[in-house]
Amino acid sequence: MPTEPPEPAVALPTEAGESAPAAPSRRTFIATTSAVGGVVVAGGLIAGTDLAGPGEASAAEASPASRVSLTVNGTRRTVTVDNRTSLLDLLREHFGLTGSKKGCNAGACGACTVLVDEHRVNSCLTLAVRLEGADVTTIEGLADGDQLHPLQKAFIEQDAFQCGYCTPGQILSGVGCIQEGHTGSPEEIREWMSGNICRCGCYVKIVRAVEQTAGRK
């Protein structure tokens, strides 16, 4: 194991017979530079504190927010939100509509699918502030009172779910798929529903439910 050599106890004599000042040892050099560095860092912190006054600190902490009005499941809502808020978080955290699920939160699984102006979108990738005046439909607003939507009935009849976590997104995506007319064949349905992932593997039954609702069976 490497060790540090001992420091000389006596200064070495010079040619004139005088003792020369001892050269700084490695330990002395490290101690000196550490002390100087600490002073510089401390000075920097103090200087930084002085430069960022109370007003600037408050401005840095404040997040930009906007007021947005939109219709959700037939009800007009107006709310002030952080500009970074996604539609999914607006629905779940501000409006208490937890039917839309947060899966990957990156637009890859489709568990958060909702309809915006009758078009299906990944709500986790959609900024709420961009939806001024939009009409949003979630799984909570799909049924007509106690009357389930035909695709909801078909999912039950076809047993098209197991754990049910992806089911709200699958149903909203299926409604969009039917409205778009992409139900010409099971292959076409699979293609246009490919953005919705079912970890239980119920794809066959999900396609049957969409086919049934589209009037093919």
Side-chain angles (χ1 to χ4, degrees):
M1 181 175 181
T3 56
E4 187 176 347
E7 298 180 28
V10 180
L12 297 175
T14 64
E15 292 182 354
E18 298 178 354
S19 296
S25 67
R26 176 171 173 267
R27 183 175 299 167
T28 304
F29 176 77
I30 292 174
T32 304
T33 53
S34 298
V36 173
V39 171
V40 172
V41 171
L45 290 175
I46 294 171
T49 303
D50 289 339
L51 289 174
E56 294 180 54
S58 298
E61 294 171 0
S63 300
S66 299
R67 191 175 178 85
V68 59
S69 295
L70 67 168
T71 300
V72 180
N73 298 331
T75 301
R76 189 72 171 176
R77 296 174 180 267
T78 301
V79 63
T80 299
V81 295
D82 187 307
N83 288 354
R84 299 164 296 182
T85 302
S86 69
L87 173 58
L88 177 61
D89 287 340
L90 177 68
L91 293 171
R92 292 178 58 87
E93 298 175 10
H94 291 257
F95 298 158
L97 299 172
T98 56
S100 303
K101 303 304 182 189
K102 182 175 286 188
C104 65
N105 205 29
C109 74
C112 65
T113 302
V114 300
L115 300 179
V116 175
D117 295 332
E118 299 187 353
H119 297 286
R120 45 186 170 163
V121 302
N122 289 318
S123 59
C124 71
L125 297 183
T126 305
L127 290 176
V129 295
R130 302 186 63 182
L131 299 179
E132 177 64 30
D135 188 356
V136 179
T137 301
T138 72
I139 193 66
E140 291 92 343
L142 200 57
D144 183 9
D146 294 333
Q147 188 69 26
L148 293 178
H149 185 278
L151 187 55
Q152 290 176 306
K153 292 180 181 177
F155 262 66
I156 295 173
E157 292 168 3
Q158 296 291 342
D159 191 21
F161 51 86
Q162 288 187 23
C163 79
Y165 192 83
C166 72
T167 303
Q170 295 278 6
I171 291 177
L172 267 299
S173 185
V175 170
C177 185
I178 294 169
Q179 292 175 347
E180 296 159 12
H182 298 304
T183 56
S185 66
E187 292 74 20
E188 185 179 8
I189 293 173
R190 290 192 191 95
E191 174 66 23
W192 288 88
M193 294 282 291
S194 60
N196 292 81
I197 295 174
C198 174
R199 292 169 178 81
C200 301
C202 288
Y203 294 112
V204 174
K205 297 178 180 180
I206 290 171
V207 171
R208 287 177 185 166
V210 174
E211 279 188 299
Q212 175 180 318
T213 307
R216 295 183 58 81
K217 287 187 176 180

